[in-house]
Amino acid sequence: FAQLHAGGGLNLRGYNGYYAIDQSGSTSYLNYKGRSGAAINLEIEFDRFVKFRPKIIRDYLHLDTYVFGDAGMISRGVLNNANIPLLTPVNAWSKVRMDAGVGAALTIKKFGPFEKINPFTIRFDMPLFLSAPPYALNKYIDFRYLIGVSRAF
């Protein structure tokens, strides 16, 4: 599980850096990267309940807090006997994987004398639930976290 995350792609936060392997008979499928994929990402902000607006920094910083849920699947790649992905594409999809948790996004709106810089966002997400956890870490509900830059939406 990698703790650094770049927004975009399928954006399944709980599976960031995770080699998802599916079995079908004697064939193993690697679901780490693919040529196509589909995902649904939902964030519900609850900023009204978490008040972080000190007058001194109100014009410079903004904090968003939210709960999130992600679900998605990706095109598969076949693993050979040495567990190396083959280059031939497979016309099949991975199993649907889902995650859910809470997060916060701190946006730096102004950089003092550097006014031309666009707002910069740092995210801290905690995907607490995984529908298919890694084999070695087989807890569906556990403390996991990741730090990201920017927001995908």
Side-chain angles (χ1 to χ4, degrees):
F1 182 72
Q3 276 75 32
L4 294 176
H5 180 255
L10 295 178
N11 202 33
L12 299 178
R13 290 166 261 211
Y15 297 96
N16 183 47
Y18 166 43
Y19 284 95
I21 298 176
D22 291 337
Q23 291 286 130
S24 179
S26 63
T27 305
S28 297
Y29 296 97
L30 178 66
N31 304 311
Y32 180 70
K33 63 180 181 177
R35 294 186 177 179
S36 60
I40 296 173
N41 307 101
L42 175 70
E43 286 185 2
I44 300 173
E45 294 184 359
F46 53 90
D47 294 357
R48 290 186 289 193
F49 305 113
V50 177
K51 298 290 185 189
F52 177 74
R53 295 187 49 93
K55 284 187 177 186
I56 297 172
I57 58 175
R58 182 179 301 164
D59 293 336
Y60 298 94
L61 300 175
H62 178 73
L63 180 69
D64 288 316
T65 53
Y66 50 87
V67 294
F68 65 85
D70 308 314
M73 57 187 178
I74 194 166
S75 61
R76 291 179 164 175
V78 177
L79 290 175
N80 65 14
N81 291 338
N83 287 335
I84 299 172
L86 298 177
L87 297 176
T88 56
V90 176
N91 292 326
W93 290 93
S94 69
K95 295 177 183 175
V96 174
R97 287 180 165 72
M98 297 176 281
D99 64 48
V102 296
L106 181 68
T107 302
I108 303 170
K109 300 187 291 186
K110 293 183 181 179
F111 288 90
F114 304 106
E115 287 295 322
K116 301 290 183 191
I117 296 176
N118 291 334
F120 180 72
T121 302
I122 301 169
R123 296 181 297 111
F124 181 77
D125 292 330
M126 294 183 295
L128 303 172
F129 167 76
L130 296 181
S131 66
Y135 179 76
L137 308 169
N138 59 2
K139 295 180 182 177
Y140 290 91
I141 297 175
D142 198 4
F143 176 76
R144 303 168 186 90
Y145 72 93
L146 56 95
I147 297 169
V149 176
S150 186
R151 290 178 88 170
F153 50 91

